[in-house]
Amino acid sequence: MTLSATPLRLSTAAATFEADFAARLHWSADTDAAIEQRVADILADVQQRGDAAVLEYTARFDGLQAEGLAALELTQAELKAAFDAIPAVQRDALQAAARRVRSYHEAQKKASGESWSYRDEDGTLLGQKVTPLDRVGIYVPGGKAAYPSSVLMNAIPAHVAGVPEIIMVVPTPRGERNLLVLAAAYVAGVTRAFTIGGAQAVAALAYGTATVPKVDKITGPGNAYVASAKKRVFGTVGIDMIAGPSEILVLADGSTRPDWVAMDLFSQAEHDELAQSILLCPDAAYLDAVQREIDRLLPTMPRAEIIAKSLNGRGALILTRSMEEACAISNRIAPEHLEVSSTDPHRWEPLLRHAGAIFLGAYTSESLGDYCAGPNHVLPTSGTARFSSPLGVYDFQKRSSLIEVSERGAESLGRIASVLAHGEGLQAHARAAEMRLPGDTA
Amino acid sequence: MTLSATPLRLSTAAATFEADFAARLHWSADTDAAIEQRVADILADVQQRGDAAVLEYTARFDGLQAEGLAALELTQAELKAAFDAIPAVQRDALQAAARRVRSYHEAQKKASGESWSYRDEDGTLLGQKVTPLDRVGIYVPGGKAAYPSSVLMNAIPAHVAGVPEIIMVVPTPRGERNLLVLAAAYVAGVTRAFTIGGAQAVAALAYGTATVPKVDKITGPGNAYVASAKKRVFGTVGIDMIAGPSEILVLADGSTRPDWVAMDLFSQAEHDELAQSILLCPDAAYLDAVQREIDRLLPTMPRAEIIAKSLNGRGALILTRSMEEACAISNRIAPEHLEVSSTDPHRWEPLLRHAGAIFLGAYTSESLGDYCAGPNHVLPTSGTARFSSPLGVYDFQKRSSLIEVSERGAESLGRIASVLAHGEGLQAHARAAEMRLPGDTA
């Protein structure tokens, strides 16, 4: 049987558009209650029994036996050996990507992650001090979705933020290690690494065990168990975000080579059957041309089966009335990846309010951003770009307000605070302010 | 019976210090399973039945009946009427506080919340675009902990960020409205306000109902039901943080008037029996002096009973070997509020890594920061200052990466991406990069 990939064809002018469009977008982030319960049990068990529990779950779920948890730690020598073992072309690519990711995140830190303060007219100092976290945990998936690029994307911003200890966990089912992942950990400067995964690894990082140090925040993607565990330990530690299936939305004015756009849709679809690839364009003939390239290129793809399932089940080619309308629809989706494939991308960019990353112009394929352009590839999915941001240096820093009230400031501020505190029935608050007024006799 | 307040007296030199200190700090953020289940049911019910469910819970939990949810909306005229009805001195204080909070958050936005970009040597553009959220929900507690200052502290940063719609919810048990809260909503420029609360209000904001618009993020403190509901809807919407009991830690070198410090400890303790007030000082005589002021001032406090319970149950006066040791202990606690009551606060500030807000010098009472110094009073509690930050403009913005790869950049980046994508077994990613190389024939 020949594979075919035919994304749903929609037109915003059709009467049924809203319903068809909503149905195609539908994806529920609701967690399975059975998974939730199992994760709660695993977390409680690791919190209580520590290393022993982590070892047992690793044996059971990953088929990986060990004498003790210390035996599951990867040494720096092992990480370096992995780096030395991979082909030179991969070593160079990893280092070049790391260099670019580092330089982008350094610019990010300079633009938005430095301490600041000022004095007001009373001489009162106000500001914020920015401090790196002490220790963070990075979850790296193992198995079929083991991505060395994710190691760089999580560890480098933590490094740039100034985090002194970066603890990586990566499951190695049946002991199979991914050399590129280990090499990436070496390049990114991971402090310690353990071959554990799942909810048990999240628990070990969140609560600490005799062997695994307790961290302040856990970042990185994972399966439903990992996502549920991260959500549950949120508050005990910080977490980055809960990732859903990956998505790309391409806004095309019809000027980009249709084979390029077809391949960009494929590059999202090849991740996962649930991944979503959508193309919006005001030119019906261009949509036809992209469909022809899809048909032509699909048989050449090693992951054609996943691509076909993703495009048939969740993909869409949507004819819009205009580029303006395409931008408005994009804002409703708030896509993780947004390509503006146009000769004039800066005309449309200001109209785009919600997206994890915006790729401007025909040369900016999403895959360049995934690996090495510099910006982070850990991005908000499933519409959460409405309220959240790419992983960044800011995720590995926190802020403390700084206030130094001058004697004169204590007078002007004290009178305001006293009135408001009495209004709230908090008399000690009021008295603390009043005592600092000139002439107050306690 | 006469009330007395005697915080636990500890010394870091004592053999039992570590155990005693740990016991005093102990507080568990674990949610009650029964509450969790009830909240899950309420959320599911509101998601399904919308307005009708919110109305029923409001009648049941707040004793407030209404024909429809629209009847529970406060009009702008009602907010303005509340502002007009309060005494002029309160109106002035609210406006002065709002002005200072606004000006601080404007400085914050300028320092860390603006878009940025640069071009690399290949002409590739990289950066981040900062966008305000479209619509946010602000939870304001009702009843005994109804704080108008919290309305300012939540709504003003949202405004400064540029959020066009700010939806406030505030429960009014048995219909009792707090005029100052309504007046603060007027001053802060809240867009719409509903007199609903609890998990049902969180659900209404997260999912939207016929009457209450769906928001992108929910901020603001609340009781255990509200906290559990916020945690549960996290992912569908953004949330700020999960608040625990309020805490103050005072580092004193013994130079500040002991009655001032005693009152600062009271001002935390008067919030709540679970609130925690701790004083660290290397001078035993100073700790005695503060205890004497506690004894003298307690009878003068209207909330003496709460203060006594909090100080007796959770307070501590700790003798340290030095100010350096006091700073190290403070870092272990990562307090919400940290006063450095010293003649030389800038000597100690660099040693302080983890705190929500740092108050420098004797004049800087926490209560000035709570109301009107400018920085936000919504701060990370229960040690979460290790990884989280005060509420700020950044909570009401999100970022989108911007990438525009030049023709030359597509060449240099394409070669790197191709190697790494093949290494990860993602051939469509590789092909998308390779197609943009010069001379590629697809």
Side-chain angles (χ1 to χ4, degrees):
Chain A
M1 200 194 83
T2 326
L3 272 176
S4 77
T6 317
L8 185 65
R9 202 60 185 265
L10 295 174
S11 164
T12 56
T16 59
F17 174 73
E18 284 297 330
D20 296 343
F21 179 57
R24 179 95 322 195
L25 286 183
H26 182 75
W27 178 79
S28 170
D30 288 347
T31 333
D32 186 290
I35 291 183
E36 274 201 42
Q37 189 51 54
R38 267 141 83 192
V39 165
D41 293 344
I42 293 171
L43 295 185
D45 196 19
V46 172
Q47 193 171 13
Q48 194 148 39
R49 294 197 302 126
D51 282 355
V54 177
L55 269 179
E56 280 173 33
Y57 291 117
T58 303
R60 194 189 312 168
F61 299 135
D62 292 342
L64 180 60
Q65 309 278 348
E67 286 285 306
L69 207 47
L72 296 182
E73 182 163 2
L74 295 164
T75 63
Q76 289 294 331
E78 286 175 296
L79 302 184
K80 168 134 193 348
F83 178 75
D84 291 337
I86 60 173
V89 64
Q90 287 188 339
R91 279 202 300 271
D92 293 347
L94 271 182
Q95 284 183 315
R99 223 170 11 244
R100 288 196 60 100
V101 172
R102 192 173 300 121
S103 127
Y104 174 83
H105 287 86
E106 275 161 4
Q108 184 179 69
K109 183 181 179 189
K110 212 169 150 195
S112 57
E114 305 283 2
S115 302
W116 54 275
S117 67
Y118 64 98
R119 288 195 186 267
D120 70 11
E121 61 287 0
D122 283 337
T124 289
L125 176 140
L126 301 167
Q128 267 193 333
K129 151 161 149 166
V130 180
T131 319
L133 306 194
D134 281 353
R135 192 189 285 138
V136 301
I138 289 178
Y139 190 96
V140 177
K144 65 170 177 170
Y147 298 142
S149 53
S150 292
V151 178
L152 305 184
M153 293 294 180
N154 279 273
I156 291 175
H159 244 299
V160 171
V163 175
E165 282 188 71
I166 302 171
I167 316 295
M168 178 174 102
V169 294
V170 56
T172 54
R174 292 159 309 283
E176 279 171 41
R177 295 173 180 182
N178 181 318
L179 280 190
L180 262 177
V181 165
L182 271 53
Y186 173 75
V187 169
V190 160
T191 317
R192 296 179 69 182
F194 296 89
T195 59
I196 57 177
Q200 60 275 16
V202 173
L205 292 170
Y207 306 124
T209 70
T211 306
V212 180
K214 175 175 166 41
V215 302
D216 297 312
K217 186 163 185 170
I218 301 173
T219 68
N223 63 18
Y225 288 86
V226 172
S228 170
K230 279 173 64 183
K231 195 164 172 177
R232 205 166 265 272
V233 298
F234 172 55
T236 301
V237 295
I239 63 171
D240 53 343
M241 55 184 96
I242 306 295
S246 197
E247 324 133 25
I248 191 172
L249 188 138
V250 181
L251 297 185
D253 63 7
S255 62
T256 304
R257 277 175 50 174
D259 57 339
W260 290 12
V261 166
M263 195 55 74
D264 292 351
L265 298 175
F266 283 4
S267 73
Q268 199 53 236
E270 75 174 339
H271 271 297
D272 178 354
E273 294 163 15
L274 286 175
Q276 185 153 55
S277 303
I278 295 178
L279 170 61
L280 295 172
C281 179
D283 177 352
Y286 185 76
L287 295 179
D288 294 338
V290 171
Q291 179 64 59
R292 279 194 303 273
E293 291 300 324
I294 289 174
D295 298 337
R296 182 175 72 84
L297 293 166
L298 184 70
T300 72
M301 303 312 303
R303 295 167 76 90
E305 209 166 325
I306 297 174
I307 293 172
K309 278 196 184 147
S310 162
L311 291 182
N312 290 327
R314 304 209 70 218
L317 307 182
I318 304 178
L319 180 67
T320 59
R321 293 183 185 87
S322 63
M323 281 295 281
E324 284 80 359
E325 188 188 48
C327 292
I329 290 174
S330 173
N331 284 336
R332 287 169 57 185
I333 297 177
E336 182 189 11
H337 305 97
L338 172 52
E339 282 187 11
V340 186
S341 220
S342 157
T343 47
D344 194 7
H346 292 281
R347 178 169 166 202
W348 310 117
E349 183 269 311
L351 303 185
L352 300 168
R353 292 181 50 77
H354 310 297
I358 304 176
F359 301 80
L360 299 164
Y363 279 106
T364 315
S365 73
E366 185 217 304
S367 69
L368 299 180
D370 282 346
Y371 290 108
C372 55
N376 212 287
H377 80 192
V378 182
L379 298 168
T381 56
S382 313
T384 60
R386 294 185 65 81
F387 54 83
S388 50
S389 304
L391 191 70
V393 170
Y394 35 77
D395 284 295
F396 299 102
Q397 299 173 319
K398 34 68 184 200
R399 293 160 185 274
S400 304
S401 303
L402 290 177
I403 317 178
E404 182 181 30
V405 176
S406 68
E407 188 172 350
R408 213 166 65 182
E411 191 177 342
S412 55
L413 295 176
R415 298 192 196 285
I416 304 169
S418 162
V419 170
L420 293 175
H422 282 300
E424 292 185 354
L426 295 177
Q427 298 87 1
H429 282 68
R431 288 296 300 136
E434 292 159 8
M435 281 175 158
R436 273 116 168 153
L437 294 176
D440 183 81
T441 49
Chain B
M1 200 195 80
T2 327
L3 272 176
S4 76
T6 317
L8 185 65
R9 202 59 185 265
L10 294 174
S11 164
T12 57
T16 58
F17 174 72
E18 284 298 330
D20 295 343
F21 179 58
R24 179 97 322 195
L25 285 184
H26 182 76
W27 179 79
S28 169
D30 288 347
T31 331
D32 186 290
I35 291 184
E36 274 201 42
Q37 190 52 54
R38 266 140 83 193
V39 165
D41 293 344
I42 293 171
L43 295 185
D45 195 18
V46 171
Q47 192 170 13
Q48 194 147 42
R49 296 196 301 127
D51 281 355
V54 177
L55 268 179
E56 280 173 33
Y57 291 117
T58 304
R60 193 189 315 168
F61 299 136
D62 293 341
L64 180 60
Q65 310 279 348
E67 286 285 304
L69 207 47
L72 297 182
E73 181 164 3
L74 295 164
T75 63
Q76 289 293 331
E78 286 175 298
L79 302 184
K80 170 140 194 342
F83 178 75
D84 291 336
I86 60 173
V89 64
Q90 287 189 340
R91 280 202 299 271
D92 293 347
L94 272 182
Q95 285 183 314
R99 223 169 14 242
R100 288 196 60 100
V101 172
R102 192 173 299 122
S103 129
Y104 174 83
H105 287 86
E106 275 161 4
Q108 183 179 69
K109 184 181 179 187
K110 213 170 148 192
S112 57
E114 304 283 3
S115 302
W116 55 274
S117 66
Y118 65 98
R119 287 195 186 266
D120 71 10
E121 60 287 0
D122 282 338
T124 289
L125 176 139
L126 301 166
Q128 270 193 332
K129 149 161 149 167
V130 180
T131 318
L133 306 194
D134 281 353
R135 192 190 285 138
V136 301
I138 289 179
Y139 191 96
V140 177
K144 64 171 179 170
Y147 297 142
S149 53
S150 292
V151 178
L152 304 185
M153 294 293 180
N154 280 275
I156 291 175
H159 245 299
V160 171
V163 176
E165 281 188 72
I166 302 171
I167 315 295
M168 178 174 102
V169 294
V170 56
T172 53
R174 291 160 310 283
E176 280 171 41
R177 294 174 180 181
N178 181 317
L179 280 190
L180 261 176
V181 165
L182 272 52
Y186 173 74
V187 168
V190 159
T191 317
R192 296 178 71 182
F194 295 90
T195 59
I196 58 176
Q200 60 275 15
V202 173
L205 291 170
Y207 307 123
T209 70
T211 307
V212 180
K214 175 175 166 43
V215 302
D216 297 311
K217 186 163 186 169
I218 302 173
T219 68
N223 63 18
Y225 288 86
V226 172
S228 169
K230 278 173 66 183
K231 195 164 171 175
R232 205 166 265 274
V233 298
F234 172 56
T236 302
V237 294
I239 63 171
D240 53 343
M241 54 185 96
I242 306 295
S246 197
E247 325 133 24
I248 191 171
L249 188 137
V250 181
L251 297 184
D253 62 8
S255 63
T256 304
R257 278 177 48 175
D259 58 338
W260 290 12
V261 166
M263 195 56 74
D264 291 351
L265 299 175
F266 284 5
S267 72
Q268 199 53 235
E270 74 174 340
H271 272 296
D272 177 352
E273 293 162 16
L274 286 176
Q276 185 153 55
S277 303
I278 295 177
L279 169 62
L280 296 171
C281 178
D283 177 351
Y286 186 75
L287 295 179
D288 294 338
V290 171
Q291 179 64 59
R292 278 195 301 274
E293 291 299 326
I294 289 175
D295 297 337
R296 182 175 72 84
L297 293 167
L298 184 69
T300 72
M301 304 311 302
R303 296 167 76 91
E305 209 166 325
I306 298 174
I307 292 171
K309 279 196 182 146
S310 162
L311 291 181
N312 290 328
R314 303 209 69 217
L317 307 183
I318 304 178
L319 180 66
T320 60
R321 292 183 186 87
S322 63
M323 281 296 281
E324 284 81 357
E325 188 187 46
C327 291
I329 291 175
S330 173
N331 283 336
R332 286 168 58 184
I333 297 177
E336 183 190 10
H337 304 97
L338 172 53
E339 281 187 11
V340 187
S341 220
S342 158
T343 47
D344 194 8
H346 292 281
R347 178 169 167 202
W348 310 118
E349 184 270 310
L351 304 185
L352 300 168
R353 292 180 52 75
H354 309 298
I358 303 176
F359 301 79
L360 300 163
Y363 279 106
T364 315
S365 72
E366 185 217 303
S367 69
L368 299 181
D370 283 346
Y371 290 108
C372 55
N376 212 286
H377 80 191
V378 181
L379 298 168
T381 57
S382 313
T384 59
R386 292 186 65 82
F387 55 83
S388 50
S389 304
L391 190 71
V393 170
Y394 35 77
D395 285 295
F396 299 102
Q397 298 174 321
K398 33 70 183 198
R399 292 159 185 275
S400 305
S401 304
L402 290 178
I403 316 177
E404 182 181 29
V405 177
S406 67
E407 187 172 350
R408 212 165 63 183
E411 191 176 344
S412 55
L413 295 176
R415 299 192 195 283
I416 304 169
S418 162
V419 170
L420 293 174
H422 281 301
E424 292 185 353
L426 295 177
Q427 299 86 359
H429 283 70
R431 288 297 300 138
E434 291 158 7
M435 280 176 159
R436 272 118 168 152
L437 294 176
D440 183 80
T441 48

